[in-house]
Amino acid sequence: MCGIVGFTNRKIQAAPVLLEGLSRLEYRGYDSAGIAVRDQDKDTVVVRAKGRLKILEEKTNSGLSVPGTCGIGHTRWATHGEPSETNAHPHVTEDMNVVGVHNGIIENFSELKDKLEKNGYTFYSQTDTEVAVKLVDYYYKKYQGGPIDALAKTMVRVRGSYALAIMFKDYPGEIYVARKDSPMIVGLGEDEAYVASDVPAILKYTRTVYYVENLEMARLEPGKATFYDLNGDEVKKDTVQIEWDAESAEKGGFEHFMMKEIHEQPVAIRDTMNSVLTPDGHIDLSSTGLTEEQIRNFKNVTIVACGSAWHVGMASQYVFEDLVRMPVRVELASEFRYRNPILGEGDLVIIISQSGETADSLAALREAKDLGATTLGIVNVVGSSIAREADHVFYTLAGPEIAVATTKAYSAQLIAMDILAMEFAYLRGKMDEKKLLCMTAEMRTLPDKIQQLIEDKERIQWFASKFANAQDVFFIGRGLDYAICLEGSLKMKEISYIHSEAYAAGELKHGTISLIEDGILVIGVMTQNDLYEKTLSNMVEVKSRGAYLAGITNYGHYEIEDTVNFNVYIPKTDPHFSATLAVIPLQLTGYYLAVARGLDVDKPRNLAKSVTVE
Ligand code: AGP
């Protein structure tokens, strides 16, 4: 996510305050930054820089070379357009009438850009933000209704999520704010006013804040904030006193980034699916560069990744082969690159990677390209090596993921792969339009279903705490459920350091069942109704050998309570989407085990967020 800071007052230089605030938002991850400062009614000065904040500080002599008492600042996490100085915020109109920064995603920015171009606007960047800024300018000039009216008209027209901080040439010393979905707070001092996308940015200056609600706007003047609704009517709001310390503020009040990111999953998958789902429920993959002809003609698919991304591949194999009826292989990148793979023209290789920098996955990409295969990256970091080198890229919009153990990026990758499978099936005549629209409609319900599962977290915490001293844990499942077990097992191992193993339920009796003894925890994942009875019988097998059983299955299978010691029901959904739901209790289980064992959840021993070495 991007970071926004704004500050206006009568005597303190704004730039150093903006830079300090942006430094408090660095934890959110970013690739470029910028500030816009205005000295009284002089022209606004804008300074931007690619890379770390330090570069912007050097360019502005720590803000001292940019005089003025009113300004806005931004750290950018790229979603539309490569990381670059040109794409960095703040963005401006040619006449500097409107200067603005934005956090969020404008889903219909292409159509808005066309509209503005038809009205004489030109564009210098690849960003959706520049479109938003120029749309505000367009309404401001067309209707002459002032800043709040222009913002209101913009909010009605824009689809997506946004937090905007805007300065208008005709209103020196003032900052205007608009919010939909992307969080934003306004802070007040004696004779100052602040705006920020997150508490840490202004905690040093004030603990008295307003939370900007959805579809609300605000006018900030020194020491004063006025709020308006979409009709332009003034809204009375109460201030809130922030009690958090700086560190817990960075985590949004959560104890760990991992828990914060588990909670961000509904937004992460909603943003990812909305980047390619059209309002009428179809799929538009044009942003990936893949053509319909290519999709119709691929002979097979090879998915290559590491770790949790490989688990996404394992899950997607079931979905792809079931829906598209085409051969799909899944390979560990560290194996793929040394096995002299049999690939060539007409083969599709999908590289899944959150960081886009994993050495083995990058090497596998290069190998696939050398062999003449078409390559597609499923990547979370815009402009990363895999994103740049793959023939095509489908960006997951999970935002920066700070915790080493992936959660929201994994979920966003799953959604991206499910969408690919659906579009492949549709274009290759394996799925009719009715079924496609039914599946995309069901996919849109997933964020709320995930939220429902997250709200059950206290039960999971109680269950996990019973096994804080476990030595070995087994996860068993069949089909897609087995792939979900792989991720549940890795989450547990990598953050709680408890040894665990994911096993195909039908394979247990071929040896591993000898390890089952009294008190061993076995977690069964049973979301695939056609395989439910078979896995349940495997659960009975291990129970008869003393195992403690936990079951994850769909609402409706209440008879499971006759067999397992603890169970979690997941909301009913299309069986192809079950991994997105069933993984939530598994993420929470691993998390609470690590917490119960007093471990460093966000930075587990021996691990790095991105494994850029072989
Ligand atoms: C998962 O929680 C781990 N952080 C790790 O397995 C990770 O998924 C793997 O290293 C791949 O990283 P990537 O997605 O950035 O390529």
Side-chain angles (χ1 to χ4, degrees), residues 14 85 117 232 272 305 313 319 335 400 412 480 500 562 574-575 586:
E85 184 170 326
E117 284 171 335
T272 300
V319 174
E335 289 294 305
L480 182 55
S500 87
D562 299 334
D574 181 300
L586 299 182

Side-chain angles (χ1 to χ4, degrees), residues 159-215:
R159 245 193 358 263
S161 59
Y162 49 82
L164 290 168
I166 304 274
M167 296 198 295
F168 292 83
K169 192 174 198 174
D170 300 336
Y171 295 81
E174 298 182 15
I175 298 172
Y176 288 80
V177 158
R179 185 236 159 159
K180 178 176 172 288
D181 290 340
S182 291
M184 201 163 217
I185 57 167
V186 166
L188 281 188
E190 187 62 36
D191 192 28
E192 309 87 34
Y194 304 84
V195 59
S197 43
D198 205 351
V199 167
I202 59 173
L203 211 49
K204 179 177 176 181
Y205 307 102
T206 182
R207 288 181 177 270
T208 304
V209 303
Y210 296 96
Y211 285 97
V212 184
E213 300 300 331
N214 258 358
L215 300 181

Side-chain angles (χ1 to χ4, degrees), residues 306-309 352-356 358 361 404-406 413 490-491 494 609 611:
C306 301
S308 292
I352 305 175
S353 177
Q354 187 285 128
S355 62
T358 299
S361 303
V404 167
T406 183
Q413 289 163 358
L490 180 62
K491 283 283 120 5
E494 66 177 327
K609 183 58 186 169
V611 184

